[in-house]
Amino acid sequence: MFQPGQGLALPAPPPGWAIAADVVVVGSGVAGLTAALACAATGRHTVIVTKARLDDGSTRWAQGGIAAALADGDTPAQHRDDTLVAGAGLCDEQAVATLVTEGPAAVRRLIEAYGARFDTDEGGGLSLTREGGHHRRRIAHAGGDATGAEISRALVGAVRAAGIETIENALALDLLTDADGRAAGVTLHVMGEGRHDGVGAVHAPAVVLATGGMGQVFSATTNPAVSTGDGVALALRAGAEVSDLEFVQFHPTVLYLGPEAEGQQPLISEAVRGEGAHLVDAAGVRFMLGRHELAELAPRDIVAKGITRRMLEQSASHMYLDARHFGAEMWRRRFPTILAACRAAGIDPVTEPIPVSPAAHYASGGIRTDLHGRSTVPGLFACGEAACTGVHGANRLASNSLLEGLVFAHRIAAACT
């Protein structure tokens, strides 16, 4: 009854074991874990399949924070306008309106229902910062620059507390479909220790792909080793439509480790520029001044192009991010993760500029979905970086990615009945 989707299936032996569920979620970042929790809360038997360990996805590497109109005087309309400008005219305006309108409640739910602990100001309110493309301070952060790690901690804890069944170290292979072409589960290959081993299947009438990005396609990226585009490939083999795969965002400021460096590189969060760091060349000249009204805080594509252009003009391999004026205490308190990463590479940002260059960071395109995460294959949903909701257009606004995962995961839970 259950057959691989219409596309070319991966060569694999027949499943040697199978389990049944109401919903199977592939991926364990903010999108996947939120979708699983929301589905399980409605009483549906939900199974999470993840390629490595439960907390090994891209979410825990997110430094800057999560954007939402949470401050007095800020509004979803202002957040919408910044998102549309960053997307270079190619955003789906209805999707953006959904994101910014439902975003504040999604962040509060993350705090109140799942126990995420964000940094607070002296009055006990959320401490908000600013990043590129934002005209207001609306970025909530945790642990200074360890927002993703805190969100992952909270969601993983909630999943375990809820007793949601999880299959770790499992590579999703192909979509299963029924006689009518609807999603009916996934085949997978468990590659590590656990209750299951080898090729198996999870049968479920609703499949949620939250497999993250594809940064490892590039020689240098901020993405972890698991970000290899598996979910998009699986969807394509199943006959699902994908959109905007050409819109891969390069983060402007990634720690430059030399011409031979490959794979995952340390990210220097946009929040560092949001707190006042300057981009300079080897002579100390701020080259983003005059290129854009926001200078170093222009949208990421503009800053990445500005850095690349200056590198080409000067035949240089990298530029510099200068935040020496922060002082040792601010570096220790606000950016402890970045400080440690720089010092591990032999660079002390307290006393010297940080060498930086752009690297692959985020896939704005992916599996095409509607506003409830539905793909063009019935019963197959997608959310997070693996999906293309239309929110990001040609260029994602800083810190909208975690928010997108939260908002659309809950919409999927409401839709995959």
Side-chain angles (χ1 to χ4, degrees):
M1 177 178 179
F2 298 104
Q3 300 294 330
Q6 298 174 354
L8 181 65
L10 290 178
W17 54 269
I19 60 176
D22 297 318
V23 182
V24 57
V25 177
V26 185
S28 61
V30 62
L33 295 178
T34 302
L37 284 163
C39 288
T42 65
R44 282 169 284 183
H45 178 202
T46 302
V47 173
I48 298 172
V49 173
T50 186
K51 189 174 179 180
R53 305 294 293 179
L54 201 57
D55 62 351
D56 277 343
S58 293
T59 292
R60 71 184 179 95
W61 296 98
Q63 295 173 346
I66 185 166
L70 297 163
D72 292 340
D74 196 6
T75 66
Q78 294 177 63
H79 188 185
R80 176 202 63 206
D81 290 346
D82 286 344
T83 300
L84 293 175
V85 169
L90 293 175
C91 299
D92 181 312
E93 293 195 22
Q94 190 175 1
V96 174
T98 298
L99 178 79
V100 300
T101 301
E102 299 180 10
V107 175
R108 295 188 187 100
R109 186 187 305 118
L110 181 62
I111 297 168
E112 296 165 6
Y114 303 139
R117 298 187 293 264
F118 286 89
D119 296 341
T120 56
D121 56 28
E122 293 179 355
L126 286 175
S127 176
L128 301 174
T129 191
R130 187 177 165 204
E131 295 184 4
H134 293 272
H135 283 78
R136 297 185 62 92
R137 286 182 170 262
R138 65 168 63 98
I139 316 300
H141 51 85
D145 59 356
T147 308
E150 171 56 19
I151 291 174
S152 182
R153 179 205 64 78
L155 292 176
V156 167
V159 163
R160 288 175 174 156
I164 297 174
E165 184 172 0
T166 303
I167 304 174
E168 296 181 308
N169 301 308
L171 174 66
L173 299 175
D174 281 301
L175 184 73
L176 295 171
T177 56
D178 64 17
D180 297 321
R182 289 187 56 86
V186 290
T187 56
L188 54 147
H189 184 191
V190 178
M191 302 170 287
E193 297 180 359
R195 292 191 300 111
H196 305 287
D197 194 16
V199 176
V202 179
H203 298 307
V207 176
V208 181
L209 297 179
T211 51
M214 57 186 76
Q216 290 294 330
V217 170
F218 296 84
S219 61
T221 179
T222 63
N223 293 185
V226 294
S227 297
T228 53
D230 304 335
V232 173
L234 182 153
L236 278 169
R237 289 194 299 275
E241 293 182 13
V242 301
S243 297
D244 298 344
L245 294 185
E246 69 274 27
F247 294 142
V248 176
Q249 181 181 80
F250 275 56
H251 198 287
T253 52
V254 176
L255 183 62
Y256 180 73
L257 297 177
E260 305 302 320
E262 295 183 346
Q264 185 178 11
Q265 311 293 305
L267 175 68
I268 309 299
S269 170
E270 200 144 313
V272 178
R273 281 176 280 136
E275 296 291 355
H278 302 144
L279 282 166
V280 298
D281 60 19
V285 176
R286 288 182 63 187
F287 55 87
M288 285 304 299
L289 292 175
R291 293 183 184 265
H292 190 276
E293 61 171 339
L294 297 177
E296 287 92 350
L297 287 177
R300 287 178 177 172
D301 59 333
I302 294 172
V303 179
K305 289 174 185 174
I307 291 173
T308 301
R309 187 176 295 112
R310 193 68 160 192
M311 287 164 55
L312 290 172
E313 290 171 353
Q314 300 186 345
S315 298
S317 58
H318 60 277
M319 290 289 114
Y320 295 91
L321 189 63
D322 191 352
R324 289 175 291 181
H325 54 285
F326 285 4
E329 174 56 24
M330 181 174 173
W331 269 109
R332 183 197 64 77
R333 173 181 52 81
R334 182 67 178 84
F335 301 110
T337 305
I338 297 171
L339 178 62
C342 288
R343 285 177 169 170
I347 299 150
D348 188 349
V350 176
T351 60
E352 58 187 318
I354 306 167
V356 294
S357 64
H361 182 60
Y362 189 86
S364 294
I367 304 160
R368 188 169 72 82
T369 70
D370 65 11
L371 294 182
H372 286 87
R374 301 182 188 94
S375 78
T376 55
V377 173
L380 178 64
F381 300 79
C383 62
E385 193 172 356
C388 181
T389 62
V391 159
H392 306 304
N395 177 60
R396 175 172 68 81
L397 181 66
S399 289
N400 268 355
S401 56
L402 294 173
L403 189 70
E404 182 192 27
L406 288 176
V407 168
F408 287 93
H410 270 271
R411 291 186 142 247
I412 285 173
C416 63
T417 55

